[in-house]
Amino acid sequence: MAVWLTRKNVPAPTGRARARGLDPWGQVLGIVGVLALAGMLNEAGTQGWSSPVVLGAGALAAVTLVLFVVTERRMEARGDTEKPPLLPLSLFGSPGFASTAAVGVLLNLGYYGMLYLSTLYLQNERGYDALGAGLALLPTVCMAVVAAPLSGRLTARYGPYVPMTGALLLGAAGFVGWMLAGPDTPYWMLLPALIATGLATPSTVPAATAAIVHAAPAKNAGVASAVFNVARQLGNALGVALFASLIAGRDLVSGLHISALIASAAFFVAALLALSSWRNAKARAAA
């Protein structure tokens, strides 16, 4: 179905792009650096931030990512169109590019960090089994069926920043609803939080993807989309690691409340970034 819809609705390029040379050093350094960073964040939640494994992965990530930046700067400065850099760092100077990448980090940090904790809350605090917890979370994870196509229509009509800002503010409000969670809170009281955050996240992704692609030159549209996806995955790892550390050594409910406030703040800051990019886009259009 996805292939059929793509062939039916996505226009084919008028001409085939010329094959580009590879950037093997950029690929190796980028893979190792991002993998080490994600590993550090994942292991920090269970082994602690002072663990030799976490510190070693962090050091490896720092060294390789610095080398990655140096390598990509040199390749871009060389201006070789046959062998361009894997990631042209000048993209981050494009209006709206860096801020939208930051939105990707904050979005997944809040949503998937809280999804992890909500699973623990339902099973460890409320006594749900794995299947029961999964069914209880359906109102949040299934909202994409409604939210994603709606976001696409709104983005096509109003541009990416209006639906992105509105969705992020909805999510920020939704996470506050988790403050009602307690040892005996009725499930129906948590439904507004589940639905609001479930609507907000898949509504933001299509709009933010469009925003970051529009912020980059057409020839770098694929790179821009990849940057946003990598930013989101780093947000996943950071959110789980951060929120897991917040419940370590304290009551699960109190850790859940603190994490919900952090998730709400992350979405609110992301909304401010989207709003700022929207205003800058309007100012450029007016000029």
Side-chain angles (χ1 to χ4, degrees):
M1 180 64 75
V3 170
W4 179 78
L5 288 171
T6 301
R7 289 179 61 85
K8 185 175 185 298
N9 296 286
V10 178
T14 55
R16 297 190 62 179
R18 186 172 56 180
R20 304 195 316 171
L22 296 177
D23 176 11
W25 280 112
Q27 290 176 331
V28 171
L29 291 171
I31 290 170
V32 173
V34 173
L35 180 63
L37 179 60
M40 178 193 74
L41 295 173
N42 281 328
E43 293 303 316
T46 54
Q47 300 196 34
W49 292 97
S50 60
S51 163
V53 173
V54 173
L55 294 175
L60 178 61
V63 171
T64 51
L65 290 176
V66 167
L67 290 175
F68 174 79
V69 170
V70 171
T71 300
E72 299 306 279
R73 282 189 182 279
R74 287 180 176 177
M75 288 195 69
E76 189 172 12
R78 196 166 56 195
D80 188 347
T81 57
E82 298 293 328
K83 291 186 177 182
L86 177 69
L87 175 59
L89 296 177
S90 60
L91 287 176
F92 289 92
S94 301
F97 189 91
S99 59
T100 307
V103 167
V105 175
L106 295 169
L107 176 74
N108 278 35
L109 182 154
Y111 181 75
Y112 288 99
M114 279 300 296
L115 187 63
Y116 167 71
L117 284 197
S118 60
T119 305
L120 294 183
Y121 166 75
L122 290 171
Q123 294 190 65
N124 296 351
E125 187 71 27
R126 303 302 301 276
Y128 288 52
D129 61 12
L131 178 60
L135 293 174
L137 291 173
L138 280 180
T140 189
V141 297
C142 286
M143 286 295 105
V145 176
V146 176
L150 177 61
S151 176
R153 289 179 179 273
L154 292 174
T155 298
R157 183 169 182 178
Y158 300 106
Y161 297 112
V162 174
M164 181 164 50
T165 302
L168 288 166
L169 290 175
L170 174 64
F175 283 121
V176 176
W178 277 103
M179 299 302 293
L180 299 175
D184 302 306
T185 304
Y187 175 72
W188 64 265
M189 292 182 65
L190 301 177
L191 276 176
L194 290 169
I195 293 172
T197 55
L199 282 171
T201 302
S203 295
T204 302
V205 171
T209 302
I212 201 167
V213 168
H214 290 165
K219 64 179 181 179
N220 289 319
V223 174
S225 178
V227 167
F228 184 68
N229 282 325
V230 170
R232 291 183 60 216
Q233 300 312 314
L234 290 177
N236 282 0
L238 182 59
V240 172
L242 175 61
F243 293 171
S245 66
L246 289 174
I247 63 172
R250 62 161 52 90
D251 176 68
L252 176 58
V253 172
S254 64
L256 179 71
H257 290 169
I258 296 171
S259 299
L261 292 177
I262 294 175
S264 179
F267 268 56
F268 186 73
V269 171
L272 293 180
L273 290 173
L275 183 61
S276 174
S277 297
W278 182 19
R279 288 177 175 173
N280 290 338
K282 290 172 65 178
R284 290 196 305 273

